[in-house]
Amino acid sequence: MVVEKANTPRNGRPRAVTLDAILDAATEIADDRGLDAVTFRVVADRLGVSPMAIHRTTGGIDALQHALVSRIVGEVTRSVDWPDEWCDVVRLFADTLHDLLMRHPVVLEAHRRASLVGPGADDVALRVVAALRAAGLDEASAVYAYGALHDFVTGHVAIRLGRGDPEQLRLPPERQALSVFADHHDYDRRFAFGLDLVIGGIAAAVATSVSHEEQR
């Protein structure tokens, strides 16, 4: 009895594989082991095809890594149903980005290396800034407010993913007793509380800006 290899069909030609299947496998690998773990051989082994089949379909490892991040970002940005009020836009952006990065750590890893690129990625930033401009902030203030919001979300997720949950369990008992987080360490609550503070700060800036405009 002869057992055929998974990547060699009966006619002897290498088995074909779709780009979607490759990106699905590559995303799982990247989320589990990091972006650098996505290689032709690792993805090929996951799919039971030859590394050359992965190369032919994707066009190169850089293209593959870029495509998997772009697809993740694009799927999320296309699904957002934006509200009208600026504070709701800001909150939805923060919650959506938080959930995206927690679900796909590879996106945060890629974002450390370069700005996120994907269908709608720039449109999201522009939409948030436009909402802040419509609320009354000048262009510079709106952009920096967006930046502060973005940095809060990505920083929170980076710490959470890097340290694990809950963080204080890694401390020796004597250190835990001295930690300010000994009795108050809930990542979800920290994020919600911090987001409220950021939005409150933006609201104060909006109120100040509107007041100055009214006095002119």
Side-chain angles (χ1 to χ4, degrees):
M1 178 178 178
V2 178
V3 178
E4 298 183 23
K5 293 182 179 180
N7 60 351
T8 305
R10 293 182 182 276
N11 61 9
R13 299 181 61 187
R15 190 175 129 198
V17 62
T18 66
L19 180 59
D20 281 341
I22 292 173
L23 293 179
D24 287 343
T27 300
E28 292 178 1
I29 294 166
D31 281 338
D32 290 339
R33 297 163 52 189
L35 196 58
D36 290 337
V38 178
T39 66
F40 290 147
R41 182 164 299 281
V42 172
V43 176
D45 288 345
R46 177 72 65 94
L47 295 174
V49 298
S50 70
M52 186 54 67
I54 306 298
H55 185 279
R56 281 196 304 268
T57 304
T58 61
I61 194 64
D62 289 340
L64 169 56
Q65 293 179 352
H66 178 277
L68 77 88
V69 173
S70 178
R71 185 178 71 157
I72 293 171
V73 173
E75 288 176 347
V76 171
T77 56
R78 285 192 297 268
S79 67
V80 177
D81 184 14
W82 294 101
D84 296 323
E85 296 295 325
W86 74 263
C87 53
D88 295 330
V89 170
V90 166
R91 187 175 297 279
L92 179 58
F93 165 74
D95 288 337
T96 301
L97 180 60
H98 172 273
D99 293 346
L100 166 64
L101 299 180
M102 289 298 299
R103 189 166 62 253
H104 294 290
V106 63
V107 176
L108 180 61
E109 181 184 355
H111 195 26
R112 290 197 198 103
R113 304 180 183 186
S115 298
L116 290 181
V117 177
D122 290 333
D123 290 343
V124 169
L126 291 172
R127 182 181 288 272
V128 176
V129 170
L132 294 171
R133 293 279 285 121
L137 295 182
D138 59 57
E139 182 177 357
S141 297
V143 171
Y144 281 116
Y146 165 78
L149 176 68
H150 176 278
D151 292 350
F152 163 70
V153 177
T154 55
H156 171 89
V157 174
I159 291 174
R160 182 169 185 172
L161 291 176
R163 295 183 180 179
D165 193 5
E167 173 187 329
Q168 73 270 20
L169 293 182
R170 299 186 178 187
L171 300 175
E174 62 273 15
R175 180 68 182 85
Q176 287 188 38
L178 298 175
S179 174
V180 297
F181 296 119
D183 298 319
H184 306 285
H185 186 76
D186 182 298
Y187 273 123
D188 291 333
R189 186 171 179 182
R190 280 173 69 170
F191 178 77
F193 194 88
L195 180 56
D196 284 343
L197 290 179
V198 174
I199 293 177
I202 295 174
V206 167
T208 300
S209 178
V210 171
S211 177
H212 287 168
E213 285 296 322
E214 290 176 346
Q215 292 174 10
R216 290 181 181 179

